[in-house]
Structures are given as C-alpha cells and as structure tokens.
Amino acid sequence: MTVRLPWHRLSTPAVLRPAAPRLGTRLNHRILALTVRNFRTLTDVKLPMGPLTVMVGPNAAGKSNVLHALNFLGDVSREGIEPALNTHGGFDVLAFRGGPRPVSRISVGIEGIWSDFASEDEPDRYELSIDRRRLPEGSRQSHTMYRRERFTQHPLEGVETTVGLTNDALTVDSPLEADHPCGTAKIGRLSSALQGDRALPLHRDSPSARAIGNVRHHLARIRVFDPDVRLARKPWGISESGGHLRSDAANLADFLRGLKEDGDAWELLVEDVRKVVPQIRNIHLVDPPGLVSHRTAVELEENGLRGRTRLAEASWGTVRILCMLAIFHDPNPPLLTCIEEIDHGIHPHALSLMAERLREASERSQYLVTTHSPVFVSELEPEEFVPCERGPNGASVIPARRLKDLREVIEESEYEPMGNLWYSGSLGGAL
C-alpha cells in the first residue's frame, strides 16, 4: 500500500565487577551506524557504532563534527528543524565549505534497532536531508529551504514499512492496514515528524507510528556530555532533575544526592573516586550554610587535612574525574552518551580504571567518545577503535582504516599495545 497526499490536505569484554542492582542490562534499542553527508567536514561518512565507539585522530580531523551531527538530530527532535539550524549557526555554517561550489544539501541519518523485528542484518533507518535552493533574481529572498525525511522500520516479522516526507507530500509504503493515514493535518515544508505524534496523520498506535515515536524518544535524549567544571563545583537545588545529569554537569550535586539515595551506585562511585584520587577518603553531601534551603553541596574528606574541602576549592582535575565517574554510574542513562576528550585533565594512571568503568557502562547504554591518549587507546579492543583523518580536499575520512586492516596490523606487531601502534602511525589517525 502506497499513499501519497499533498501538503494542503495534510496537516565485549566481560564486566569486571557486579553492577548496581538498578543498572540492569543494555537496552535492546541501539544505534548501529551514523551516516552524514556534507555536514561540516563530513562529506560522506558512515560510522559503525557498537556499545562503545572511540574516535581517535589529530585535531580538526572531524571527530567533534560527528558529535555535532548527533547533537543536531537531538535538537531537531526537541525543537524542530528551523530552531535547530539557528542553534547550530544556520545552513551556511553547517554545510561543507570545500570544493568549487557551495553544497545545496546536508544529510544526517542513523541505522539502528527500534522496531520489534529489526536486526543488524535488516536495520531500521532514519534520514533527514535539508535542501537549500537559490531563487530567481528579483525574488524577495535569495534562497528557499525544504526538508526530506524518510523512516524505514520493521514492525512485524518479514514486514518493512517506510514513511517519507518531502516538500509537498507524505508517502506511506506499508502492507498494514493500521498504517493507513487517518484524518488531515497541515505540515510545513520545514516541519519534522520527530516533533510529535500530531505531526503525521497516522494512528498513534499504528506500528509505524510507534517505531517513529521510538526514534523521536531516543534522539531527544542523546546526551553530549561536556562538563563545565566551574558550574559543577557549585551547590544545586534539590529537584526531580537530579535523576538525570545535565550535559554540562551543572546539577552534579543534585545528581550525586540521587545516587546516594540509590545506595549501591553511590558506594561504587565513592570506591572508584578513592582509587583514582587516593587523597580522598570520603564524599559528603551537605546543606551549604548561608544559602536558601533545599540545596545540596559537595564536600571532600581528604587524608591528612582537618575539616573538609568544598568542591568549589577542589582541583579542576578532581572535579572532572567526579563528573566522569558520575556519568558512568548513571542508573538511568539515555540510549547514547557522547563525550569529547574523555582523558582531558585525568592522570594517565587513572585511565585504565576509567576505561574499565566506561566499558561496564556500555553494557547498559551506548557511548561515543573521543580521545588523544595512547594510554586510553591501549585499553580498547580493535572493534572499539575508530581512526579519523582529514583528506587534502578538506573532507574527513572516518573511519580511516577498516577493522580488518587494524586487526592485521595488530597481529603483525605481535600484539603490541594499540596505543603504541596508534602513536607510531601504524593504525591511522596520527599527525
């Protein structure tokens, strides 16, 4: 069944210690790959994504742009296409600026499993393309923009359905009667089906509508974690937001309060802090004096010192370590958490434990991170390692080596630590 309606009628490694009871197992829903075209330096990238994916490469290779592309999709699902474009600087900022002529289309998409019968061999897909066309001379505006969206899902065994949105039509290709459009709705040329159930004239409980809802839910909760140590040091008001650590870690104190109420997760966190910062004997959550009630502050009990050290007085690296360990012990993580320069400000001897905790966390949720640390790379498995490079034409090459080639280099080196091989340039992604 294909229905086309005009817009005017439509509105790996084993876990090394027991996890806290609330952590459970990794979600069945997951992203298998990210595809990007003409988005900043990502002209034609398909990045396979497992439970843990670590991008490694020189500065300006495009690693951050991968995170920006995912964050852009998250902003589209939370705010809509036009607000997301404005937040990220507009089409001209996002579009690839290499080559002889400006590009007229950017595309970002994901492959994954979010409908009941999707699999790695037959994944679900979502792609958003934004086109910008020049208008004839004399027009009130120089350009016009419109979007294309396409959803592919597998709601029943042996059944694939698609929902497509273009500038002037909705197309539903499905053998299921429940997927037949109902009623009418008016949808603008830059509206997105990710914006809510009312964006499409589909029954809310139809198989395709449920699958699209799953995509919307997970993209909206993508977390690009970039702790602001200055904000994380401050007390925070006690609220329901404590169950979710903000992307800038501003509510760290409140999040830690929630972990302490959980019990087991808190004890594991404190144990890890003691291992990587041996000077810390304990962590206390207190009501800060002189401030309004219902706020939480963090104080550290340190060996050899009288009294306690307020987090506002702790070292930059100590605060960042606490932020990172907190995110790894999050009992309710989103589908995907992105972390840039995970090793930044952390002593090399602590990176082994950080990698171990990150891998444990990836049993419950996906993680996409970047690093410049050979020590951290040595803790990875080949399938977790993604070398990134930048070509002479200004475009990123991600991955810069096939997994098969990486395994061959490692085998030929007689299993030299991957960090050493990467630093020497043998695995790609080097200067």
Side-chain angles (χ1 to χ4, degrees):
M1 174 190 70
T2 300
V3 180
R4 184 175 176 85
L5 298 172
W7 280 135
H8 69 269
R9 292 184 54 200
L10 299 176
S11 305
T12 48
V15 173
L16 301 180
R17 65 172 185 170
R22 289 176 57 190
L23 298 181
T25 57
R26 190 166 62 86
L27 297 175
N28 290 327
H29 294 172
R30 59 193 183 275
I31 298 174
L32 299 174
L34 171 72
T35 57
V36 191
R37 296 179 183 86
N38 293 330
F39 184 99
R40 296 191 171 179
T41 63
L42 311 177
T43 59
D44 189 10
V45 165
K46 184 171 183 178
L47 172 65
M49 293 175 59
L52 173 60
T53 305
V54 182
M55 295 184 293
V56 182
N59 295 324
K63 304 184 299 298
S64 297
N65 290 339
V66 171
L67 273 56
H68 289 313
L70 284 163
N71 197 30
F72 176 71
L73 283 185
D75 285 340
V76 168
S77 64
R78 290 184 290 265
E79 306 169 4
I81 293 174
E82 287 187 283
L85 282 171
N86 293 334
T87 297
H88 291 261
F91 188 94
D92 286 328
V93 170
L94 292 183
F96 178 60
R97 293 184 287 109
R101 293 187 300 178
V103 301
S104 59
R105 176 184 295 177
I106 59 177
S107 300
V108 184
I110 56 173
E111 294 182 3
I113 297 175
W114 49 79
S115 63
D116 292 340
F117 288 88
S119 66
E120 293 187 8
D121 293 330
E122 295 186 354
D124 298 325
R125 294 181 176 87
Y126 166 70
E127 184 174 59
L128 167 66
S129 297
I130 302 174
D131 289 67
R132 189 177 72 162
R133 302 297 181 187
R134 181 177 294 277
L135 294 174
E137 292 187 13
S139 302
R140 296 179 60 184
Q141 296 179 327
S142 60
H143 294 83
T144 184
M145 286 195 297
Y146 60 93
R147 60 83 191 86
R148 305 169 189 260
E149 277 186 301
R150 184 175 177 87
F151 299 83
T152 302
Q153 47 272 324
H154 301 79
L156 297 175
E157 187 171 6
V159 174
E160 179 179 280
T161 71
T162 63
V163 176
L165 306 178
T166 62
N167 187 39
D168 61 353
L170 163 73
T171 301
V172 180
D173 190 351
S174 170
L176 306 176
E177 185 66 26
D179 277 341
H180 197 284
C182 63
T184 61
K186 186 176 181 180
I187 304 177
R189 57 186 169 83
L190 283 178
S191 297
S192 169
L194 295 176
Q195 290 179 255
D197 294 330
R198 291 177 293 180
L200 291 177
L202 298 176
H203 290 283
R204 180 175 297 183
D205 293 329
S206 73
S208 291
R210 288 199 302 269
I212 292 173
N214 285 335
V215 179
R216 178 191 313 128
H217 172 73
H218 292 309
L219 288 178
R221 296 185 68 231
I222 287 177
R223 175 169 51 195
V224 179
F225 192 56
D226 186 14
D228 185 328
V229 170
R230 180 182 58 84
L231 296 177
R233 284 177 164 140
K234 295 182 178 181
W236 190 264
I238 298 174
S239 68
E240 294 181 359
S241 71
H244 178 76
L245 185 57
R246 287 175 38 162
S247 296
D248 59 5
N251 67 332
L252 176 65
D254 194 29
F255 179 79
L256 293 178
R257 178 191 57 80
L259 281 188
K260 189 169 186 179
E261 292 175 356
D262 177 82
D264 293 320
W266 171 257
E267 293 301 324
L268 293 173
L269 170 67
V270 174
E271 175 187 333
D272 282 345
V273 171
R274 290 179 182 135
K275 289 179 180 177
V276 296
V277 189
Q279 294 83 3
I280 295 178
R281 185 163 57 244
N282 207 349
I283 302 173
H284 299 272
L285 304 178
V286 301
D287 297 326
L291 296 176
V292 296
S293 59
H294 307 297
R295 294 178 74 85
T296 299
V298 180
E299 293 182 350
L300 307 176
E301 186 178 340
E302 299 187 68
N303 293 321
L305 299 182
R306 294 188 300 275
R308 298 173 183 170
T309 302
R310 296 181 300 175
L311 199 62
E313 301 165 351
S315 73
W316 191 95
T318 296
V319 179
R320 183 170 170 84
I321 284 175
L322 187 55
C323 292
M324 288 298 170
L325 289 174
I327 207 77
F328 300 156
H329 288 283
D330 187 347
N332 299 297
L335 175 70
L336 174 67
T337 295
C338 305
I339 306 173
E340 190 158 14
E341 296 193 24
I342 192 169
D343 55 282
H344 187 40
I346 298 176
H347 194 283
H349 289 171
L351 291 178
S352 176
L353 184 134
M354 301 292 281
E356 180 182 322
R357 295 298 174 259
L358 178 60
R359 187 171 291 114
E360 291 175 6
S362 71
E363 292 295 318
R364 309 184 296 276
S365 174
Q366 286 184 280
Y367 283 81
L368 174 64
V369 306
T370 72
T371 185
H372 291 108
S373 169
V375 175
F376 191 84
V377 171
S378 290
E379 300 293 333
L380 302 177
E381 299 295 335
E383 61 269 19
E384 298 167 340
F385 174 83
V386 178
C388 305
E389 296 176 356
R390 184 89 169 264
N393 63 346
S396 298
V397 183
I398 303 175
R401 299 289 188 279
R402 297 179 302 173
L403 179 59
K404 176 184 176 182
D405 296 333
L406 295 177
R407 292 187 185 278
E408 289 179 355
V409 171
I410 295 169
E411 184 176 352
E412 290 174 0
S413 73
E414 298 183 349
Y415 299 94
E416 179 79 9
M418 280 180 53
N420 295 352
L421 293 173
W422 166 66
Y423 191 72
S424 70
S426 301
L427 296 181
L431 287 175

